Amino acid sequence: MTMVGHTPVVVLVTPQLGENIGACARAMLNCGLTELRLVAPRDGWPNERATAAASGAGAVLEAAQLYPTTAAALADLHYVLATTARPRDMVKEIVTPEEGAQRLHARAAQGQRSGILFGAERMGLINDDIPRADAILNIPVNPAFSSLNLAQAVLLVGYAWRRAGIEVEPSVMDTSGVAPATKNEVENLFRHLDEALAAGGFYTSEQQRPSMTRNLYNLLQRTQMTEQEVRTFHGVIVALSGRSRTSRGS
C-alpha cells in the first residue's frame, strides 16, 4: 500500500463549475486521494457550490491549494501524468490507467511525489500544459463517444490507482460468518439425497443411475455450501420424503 503523504496530487486546470470541483473531491475521497490543487478556477475560490456538491468530502476542498499557473501547481512534483483523449500532434508516451497507476505507486515507493493533471470541462488540457507531463494517461472508453465529465475522469483514474495498491481477490464467497461445509458433510448429504431419491422411485434404470448420481454429486459440490445450508438441505429431504410417503399412503 502506498504510504500516506505519497498519494498522487490531483490537479484541476482552470475548472469552470464549482459543482464539478465538488464532485471531483467526492470522487477523490472515494479512492483515498486527498490532495487537490486548483489552477485558476473560473468562478473563483472558495466556492459554495463546490462544497454543496462534495457530499461529505468537504475536507478535501478545505485543504485544496490555489495556483495561478499549471507550472506553479506542478513545481514540486517529480512525475506527472496528463489525462487527455488526444496527443495533440506531439511525440508523447501514452499509458493506460492501469499502467499509469503502477508508475505512480512505483514513484511513491521511491519517496517521489506524483500528480495527475486534468483539464477544463469544455476543452480539456491545452497544448502548453501537456508538455509539462511525463506521459499521457488515456482512458480507453468508447471511441465513438469518448467524452467524460471531470468527476468521471477523476474517479476512473483514482480507482485504477487504488486498485493497483491493494491486494484484491478475483472473487470472494461471502458466507456471513458461517463455516463452509466439509467434504464429509457434503458426502453425507449426498448419501441422504441418493437414498431418498431411490426410495421415491427417481432412478428408473439401474444402468443410468451411476451417471445420474455423478451429475447430482457434482451439482452439490459446485454450490460451495455452508454447514447451515447442508443442515437445511437435510431438513428439506426429510420433509419431502415424509410428504411423499404420506401421499402414497393416502
Side-chain angles (χ1 to χ4, degrees), residues 132-206:
R132 292 186 168 86
D134 296 277
I136 288 174
L137 190 154
N138 184 250
I139 302 172
V141 293
N142 178 10
F145 188 68
S146 60
S147 176
L148 293 170
N149 68 41
L150 198 52
Q152 285 177 322
V154 171
L155 182 61
L156 287 171
V157 176
Y159 176 73
W161 173 82
R162 183 169 181 81
R163 182 69 173 77
I166 57 177
E167 294 294 332
V168 179
E169 296 182 46
S171 64
V172 177
M173 178 66 72
D174 184 1
T175 61
S176 301
V178 181
T182 65
K183 296 299 183 185
N184 185 57
E185 288 168 335
V186 176
E187 184 77 28
N188 290 336
L189 174 61
F190 175 72
R191 289 201 201 98
H192 189 184
L193 176 62
D194 184 47
E195 291 168 1
L197 290 174
F202 177 75
Y203 300 118
T204 57
S205 168
E206 283 301 315

Side-chain angles (χ1 to χ4, degrees), residues 4 7-10 20-36 51 53-63 151 154-159 161-162:
V4 175
T7 57
V9 174
V10 172
N20 290 338
I21 298 174
C24 286
R26 183 178 182 182
M28 287 173 59
L29 199 55
N30 284 151
C31 300
L33 300 173
T34 57
E35 189 170 349
L36 175 62
T51 303
S55 299
V60 175
L61 297 181
E62 291 170 7
V154 171
L155 182 61
L156 287 171
V157 176
Y159 176 73
W161 173 82
R162 183 169 181 81

Side-chain angles (χ1 to χ4, degrees), residues 212-245:
M212 297 173 74
T213 55
R214 280 194 299 270
N215 289 337
L216 288 170
Y217 190 84
N218 189 44
L219 173 62
L220 287 180
Q221 289 287 5
R222 284 208 314 271
T223 59
Q224 301 181 50
M225 302 175 78
T226 65
E227 291 178 346
Q228 180 59 53
E229 289 169 337
V230 167
R231 289 193 292 269
T232 300
F233 209 132
H234 276 295
V236 169
I237 296 170
V238 170
L240 291 177
S241 298
R243 183 177 302 172
S244 176
R245 286 192 291 270

